[in-house]
Every structure is written in structure tokens, then in C-alpha cells.
Amino acid sequence: MQPFSASETGSAIAPAVTWSVNGVAGGNASVGTVSSTGVYSAPEFPASGEAVTVSAVETADSTKTAASSVTINNPVPQVTGVTPTSIPVGAFTLKVAGAHFAAGATVQFGSATLTTTRVSSTALTATGTATSSQVGNISVVVQNPNPGIISSAAVTDKVVANSAIAVTISPTVVTLRPGVNQGFTATVTGTSNTATTWSLNNSGLGSTTIGYINPLPTFTQYAPPGVVPNPNTVTLTVTSTADPTKKASAVITLVNPTPVLTAVSPGSIGIGAFMLTVTGSRFVSGAKVNFGGQALTTMFVSPTELTATGTASASQAGNVAVTVTNPNPGSTTSGTVMALVVNSGPVISAAAAARFLEQSTFGPTSPLVNQLQQTGFDTFLQGQLSAPASTYPTPGANDSDLTNVQNAFFKNAVNDSDQLRMRMAFALNEIWVVGANKVSDPVGYSNYMTALTRDGLGNYYNVMKDVTLTPAMGHWLDMVNNDKPGTGQHANENYARELMQLFTLGLSQLNPDGSAVVDGTRMPIPTYTQDDVMALGRSLTGWTYPTEPGQTLTKHNPEYYGGNMVAFESNHDTGSKTFLGQTVAAGQATGQELDSVLTIIFNHPNMPPFVAQQLIEKLVTSNPSPQYVQRVAQAFVSGKFNSYGSGQRGDMQAVAAAILLDPEARRGDSPTTTVATDGKLREPVVMEAAVARAFGASTDGTGFTGWSGNMAQSLFNSPSVFNFFPPMSLIPQTTLNGPEFAIFNTNTSLARVNFINSIVYGQISGTTKLDFSPVINAGTPDQMVAWLNTQLLHGTMSDSMLQSILTAVNANSSTDTTNQAKTAIYLVLSSSQYQVQR
């Protein structure tokens, strides 16, 4: 910095002036700056080829000026560090850290000037050759060039003579697969100090990308990463501690793992198009499923699941070998699992198969329709009962809402093979309601849906207990931190009331066929009393949130969703109670009493018809006959339907089979047996998944929730414990029950059409792709519409609808088969004949 002052001849008073540098008021970073008091600050480095002039102009009279010429020299360089600190005789590279290194700066190594590269004003690299005459301490100086050539203070480095130390590593070349560790041994000679340091790719002990090492002085164990990186080679280096210039390296080539195939679903396949789900482990992206030696079109779902489509021929009837091949690098093939190709000819019509799949899955697909025709309902159901359960990923630390859980639901619904279990879990989700407006923690909702998925084809008692103990339900209906009441006080009754009213028994006593039990005045008899609610509320005291890892159980644990609720025994009301006419003994522990009251509810005669009615409505029809309800309720009571079920009350496999195989569910498989009042309005969530499945969508689940919200069913965002729509809701001006019509109005009916328009002429999301090629390639407009009639309407399209669609399709150019197909798809999907599942 340099101060300047201005004076005026003939005046004792310093004039007011404006200061500038090279004509720029106040100057700039290139030529320097000057303050309002005339203090000039030079730039770090001289401006190339530019003279610098500091000027003063009198403020009152701009004709009065003066100037001073300034010469800017390069700054004094500063060196703060040099690496390496020990240099062997021979060629070397130095890294110099510091400040004020000018362009053209050079590193002086003793009396030698090194070839220097300026990295920045704070870093230089330099190369040279150390001679044996330089062994010992040597000075290192940085010299900035002209203008003002000047050198830094010296720092000391060291030149060492070459040693006799040598390092070897064994093995030097190795090929590994994930999950297979490899040991390496180092040998150091020429010194008594055999200590070493190890590194992977010169970056320490490794990472999740390249694997990890566990180093010892002369040995290390290398663990490959779970996924092969690109590039797929890793260098392991061992360095002598005595002489860091002595090192040895091994090259590790990483190749894909050998896949392990454990199961194929379905196990029986008909002639024609099919879709397989294979499960196992160590599958990688690009893996192929082989069917009888032929590679199928395969989609990678996860390291434990693949789906594949293909076509089985009559010549393959019998057992066919299924394998999985992982791609290069290191392509290998799994062991074999056999699938059975059945050549019995069509046993049911395509229309009946599609209709059955509408009721038992999130929607029919062409391969599943074909398979069901070949193998029949029973084989399909048996395959569904043994299919691996879908999963929900554990939410990450950055998951602040339910988005990833919602995406996982739709991804599973569209892609996964355990369709019946997921449909049952979704139906239970609409009975045992939890809403994101109060429970927005993704861990809580993921655990809640995992419980429903696990129990969807289990036992209804497990549904009751597992859902009751989820922190999501505990928080939603206030059972969590429900305190033992003091004298004259009441326990919280919220969950106790809804557990009976909405989830298990209903308000009124029921006959086995679901009709209400009435008194002498024809009025329904209540199922329970306020005293029952109060008693159950007391029985449900003492539960709190799970204890966070590393914390201690307290009476009211902090809000946490990573497990089931836990009991704080001293906060549980252990007094005796009378509940639904039965005595709940005093002195029971919290968990023991929960089992006691749930068992009383589970054995109540209302439960079988109450549950049967709602599940029939969710899967098949909104208006089941009392006889249909009673038959399904009987399967609930006995735990058995034909060959399905364990024989224990509440067996959900028996209930599902009874619902789907009942004569009332199957009437309509043939047009001659159709009943006008059968069926149900497709609810938005199920409709979205069905459309995606019908056209072979590949998806990660994004985009669906936004669309379902537009149609008044934002997934997992139920506005209240009564679900988006109640189980009983009369369609206006009719005597028909139509629960889904409760969210069907002018706005949502248009939203449904907008959804169809967007997916046909746009997209659900950027990561969801629909495949319309089966319709485009079907042939003539008549054949296009016939394909849609079978796949989407199971052959029920009316003649008037058929003619209207053909007229619209033929309005397109006969050569524009894409728009012909899209016109037909749009009109079928948006029609009332599709929107109402018959």
C-alpha cells in the first residue's frame, strides 16, 4: 500500500479531490485500487504490459489535476511446504505450497533451476533430477520473475541415497467376484524395519465403490464392493515405511458375481406368451433369464428379483430349465430351477381369465391372461399364495415425507408377482386406515404397509395385533402414550372405539349373512356400549413409541417409528374389566391383556360377516348377496375353503379363495351369466395400476400419486379414519351400494378422463413408459378394438360402443396405425364400460 496526498499551489488548505487509477475512479482489481483518502493498494500481480497512474482531480474544478506514475513489481513469494520431504537420488517431482507465486515463477533446488509448472498462485509443481553429490539437506526457493525479480525465504528438503530396500507383493494379479475376499502378503528386504502402509487406488483404505482393505504390517485382507465398478480394475499398493519410495502393486480385476437362482413364479406355464418372476440373489443389471436355453426379455428389479417375458411352445411341454446369466465382466450362469410347461389347451376363455385377474390382481396382463387360460384358477391362486412377498425399502435419512413409500407401492403394484397379496394388503389398508395428514414419517408408513403385506394372506388375528402395535396406528388414533387413568378419569377411547366400529365388528350386531340383527321394533341392536369402549380403552393403556437405539425406555418415549410400540408396565391399568360381556382378569401384563381383548373381538360373531362384506366389495362387487357374504364368512370361521386354508379361524388364504372362486364372483365370466347389478366402480389407485399393467409399463412408481390425488384418492393421504369412501354409500337415485361413487363427481370424473388422455398422448411420468405396440400391431381397426375388448373389458363391449370407437378410429389415416391405436385405447379406457369393473 502507498499513501498519496494532493496539495494546491498558493493554498494552505488541501483541496477536495477525486482519486482514480488509470482513469477509473477508485481503480479496479487489475491495476490496483485507491481509497477516497488517496491510499493506493497494489494488485497481487502486475497487470501485464500496463503502466499504472494514480490521479487526483479537484472536485470543485476538474481542470485542476495531478498524477503520479507507479511501478508494480511481482510480490515476494512465500513457501509454506514442500512434498515429498525426502527425495531419493534420481528423477523426482516436487509439490510446493505457499502464496504469491507469479506467472513464470521457478523453483530453485540448491543451485539448479527446476522445470516448473504454475498450478495456481498458491501451488507449483517442479521436476528435476537429484544427484549423489546433493545427498543431505538442500534448500528450496521460489523465485518470481521480473518485473522486480525476487525470491522467497528458503525451506529445507532432503536428498537421500538409494537404499537396498525392496518391496514385493503376492499375488500380483487376481480376479475376484463380489463376496469373495482375498488376502495379500508384502515382503520387505534390505532393512530391519519391515513395516508397510497399504492403499487402494492411492486413496487410503478404500470406499464402497472400490472395496476396502484391512491392513496389517505385512498382510492385508481385501473385500470387493457389492457392485462391480467402472473401470473394473483396482490397484492395491504397499509402501515401505523405512523408504516410502519403495513400493509394490497388485492389480485386482473385479467381475460380476455368480447369480443364485432359488425360485420361479409361476411354477406352471401354459403354451404361448408368459411372464416369469425369478428370485434369488446376486443378480446384476443386465442379467438375463434363460428359458430352455433361450434368453428372455428381462427386467432387472433388484439384486434378488428379475421379471422376464417370453413364449412357450407346444414342443416345450414338460419340465423346462430356467437359469439366470449375469453379464460381463465375468459372465456366469446360475444353477437350474425347473418350470412346468402345461399343454392342456385352453381351459377357460380369455375373457374369463381377464375378469378373474381384475378381481385378484392390480390388473390383467397379456402373459397372465394366457397363463390363466392354460393353467386355470386354482393353479394361479396356488402360485400367488407361494409368491415371494413384495417389500418396501427402508427410508433413508433424507426421506422427509411419504414420496418414496408411495412410489414403492405403485412400483410393486405394477411390476411384482405377488399380486393377490398386494391387493389384499391394499384392501386392508382401506379398512385399517392411517393417514399422512397425521402420520407423515416414512419409516412409520413403510413399517405399517410391511405389516399389512406380510399379513395380507396370513391370519386376520395377526392383522389385528400387528397393526395395533405399529407406531403409525398408535399415533394416528392416540393409543400411543395412552395413560392409565387416575381416579375419576378415563383412558383415551379413540382407538378402542374405531377398533370395534371400523376395523373389526361394526356398529350393529350382524347375522352370519351380514344383515343386521334387529329388536322387536325392527331397530338394529348395537354391537357394543359406551362401557365396552371405556373398558377397552383401559385395556389398551401402557403402550409407548419404540425405544430409540441407545436410549432407555421411559413412560412416554419420544416419537419414533423404527419398530413396534413397547409396553411401560407401570402405566398400564391392571384392574379387572368387563368387555363385550366377558371378564378381563385383573393383574395381566400389558401385552398379555392386549392378547386377551383382541381374542374376545376376534371370536365375536360379527367379525366374519363384517370382514367378508368389505373384502368382497374391495375385490369383486359392491352389492354382494347375503348368501355370498355368508359363504365367505363361513370360510373365515372355519379357516378353510376347498383345499385352501389352515383350518384356523381368520385364515386369509381361505377367505381370499372363497371370495374369488364363489359362484357369484364367477358369474359374468360368460356373457350369458352376467347380472346387471354386479361389479364396482374402479377406484383411482387400482385403475392407474391396471392401466399401466395392461400396457406392459416399466416404472419406478413416480407420478402415480399425483394423478390419484387429482381423482380424490391421494395414496396414503386418507382425510380421516373413515377412508376416502365408506363401505356403504348409496349411488344417488338408486338403491345400489357404490362406495367408490362417494369420490366420483364432476371434477373427479373429468380428472379420470384427463389421466387417460395424458397417459395415451403423454406420460404418467418421465420414468414410466407404456407399450402400445400390441394394439398398434394388432392389425385392422376391428382387430385393435377386439384386443382391447378382451384385455380391458373381458369381452363385454356393447355394439353401440364398438361402432362409435370404430368410426373414430377410421377417421385417422389408414397408414397411421399409431394414432388409430391411441384413439381406440383412449376411448375404451375413458368409457364408463371400462371405469365400472363388471
Side-chain angles (χ1 to χ4, degrees), residues 497 500-502 505-510 524-528 606 610:
R497 179 174 288 104
M500 291 188 289
Q501 176 184 339
L502 298 178
L505 303 179
L507 290 171
S508 302
Q509 293 182 29
L510 300 177
I525 300 174
T527 306
Y528 54 86
N606 261 33
F610 180 83

Side-chain angles (χ1 to χ4, degrees), residues 631-655:
R631 290 190 293 268
V632 175
Q634 179 55 39
F636 186 102
V637 172
S638 67
K640 201 74 178 172
F641 178 80
N642 296 341
S643 62
Y644 299 94
S646 62
Q648 296 182 347
R649 181 184 177 93
D651 189 292
M652 297 297 284
Q653 295 188 9
V655 170

Side-chain angles (χ1 to χ4, degrees), residues 279 317 348 561:
T279 54
I348 57 175
Y561 293 88

Side-chain angles (χ1 to χ4, degrees), residues 169-493:
I169 189 172
S170 179
T172 57
V173 178
V174 68
T175 298
L176 297 177
R177 300 184 187 276
V180 180
N181 294 351
Q182 174 69 49
F184 291 85
T185 302
T187 302
V188 181
T189 58
T191 177
S192 60
N193 181 2
T194 59
T196 60
T197 58
W198 299 79
S199 67
L200 278 175
N201 284 3
N202 297 316
S203 59
L205 301 182
S207 67
T208 56
T209 301
I210 62 174
Y212 290 95
I213 52 175
N214 182 23
L216 296 172
T218 58
F219 178 82
T220 191
Q221 184 86 1
Y222 170 71
V227 178
V228 175
N230 184 19
N232 67 315
T233 57
V234 177
T235 300
L236 173 65
T237 301
V238 58
T239 302
S240 167
T241 302
D243 183 354
T245 66
K246 304 299 182 179
K247 57 187 68 179
S249 296
V251 176
I252 304 169
T253 300
L254 299 172
V255 296
N256 281 319
T258 299
V260 177
L261 175 59
T262 56
V264 176
S265 178
S268 297
I269 300 167
I271 304 301
F274 64 82
M275 180 172 66
L276 289 179
T277 297
V278 301
T279 54
S281 61
R282 299 182 180 176
F283 303 152
V284 301
S285 180
K288 288 291 185 182
V289 175
N290 310 299
F291 185 78
Q294 180 180 6
L296 303 182
T297 300
T298 305
M299 183 175 75
F300 175 80
V301 178
S302 73
T304 60
E305 182 178 343
L306 305 170
T307 61
T309 56
T311 302
S313 64
S315 63
Q316 291 177 304
N319 288 320
V320 175
V322 178
T323 61
V324 173
T325 299
N326 276 344
N328 281 319
S331 177
T332 53
T333 299
S334 71
T336 298
V337 171
M338 305 306 292
L340 179 64
V341 174
V342 179
N343 187 15
S344 57
V347 294
I348 57 175
S349 68
R355 185 170 179 270
F356 186 86
L357 291 168
E358 285 181 338
Q359 298 167 349
S360 59
T361 73
F362 276 99
T365 66
S366 293
L368 278 183
V369 167
N370 178 72
Q371 289 304 300
L372 198 55
Q373 283 186 264
Q374 302 290 328
T375 60
F377 299 143
D378 279 308
T379 299
F380 174 78
L381 285 180
Q382 293 293 347
Q384 286 294 292
L385 299 182
S386 61
S390 294
T391 59
Y392 287 83
T394 301
N398 296 324
D399 287 345
S400 59
D401 56 28
L402 300 188
T403 298
N404 286 338
V405 183
Q406 292 162 326
N407 292 347
F409 171 89
F410 279 110
K411 175 178 176 289
N412 293 347
V414 174
N415 296 327
D416 279 8
S417 62
D418 62 325
Q419 288 286 306
L420 178 58
R421 182 183 288 104
M422 288 191 291
R423 275 301 300 270
M424 293 291 284
F426 184 60
L428 292 171
N429 168 256
E430 295 187 302
I431 298 172
W432 296 78
V433 177
V434 171
N437 59 0
K438 187 174 179 181
V439 182
S440 58
D441 186 287
V443 175
Y445 229 104
S446 178
N447 288 345
Y448 164 72
M449 285 306 300
T450 295
L452 290 179
T453 303
R454 180 179 61 245
D455 297 337
L457 291 174
N459 190 285
Y460 203 79
Y461 183 86
N462 294 336
V463 175
M464 296 170 61
K465 184 171 183 179
D466 290 347
V467 175
T468 294
L469 291 179
T470 61
M473 182 60 79
H475 183 82
W476 172 246
L477 289 179
D478 308 319
M479 179 179 152
V480 70
N481 296 334
N482 180 22
D483 293 341
K484 174 176 65 177
T487 303
Q489 297 179 329
H490 300 290
N492 189 290
E493 300 168 3

Side-chain angles (χ1 to χ4, degrees), residues 581-638:
Q582 298 189 46
T583 299
V584 179
Q588 295 188 72
T590 311
Q592 182 184 10
E593 187 160 336
L594 175 64
D595 285 331
S596 296
V597 294
L598 290 182
T599 299
I600 292 172
I601 296 172
F602 182 65
N603 289 316
H604 192 282
N606 261 33
M607 178 170 283
F610 180 83
V611 173
Q613 173 92 27
Q614 294 202 59
L615 291 178
I616 292 170
E617 290 180 11
K618 297 289 188 291
L619 300 178
V620 177
T621 179
S622 298
N623 294 274
S625 69
Q627 295 79 12
Y628 187 6
V629 173
Q630 186 166 355
R631 290 190 293 268
V632 175
Q634 179 55 39
F636 186 102
V637 172
S638 67

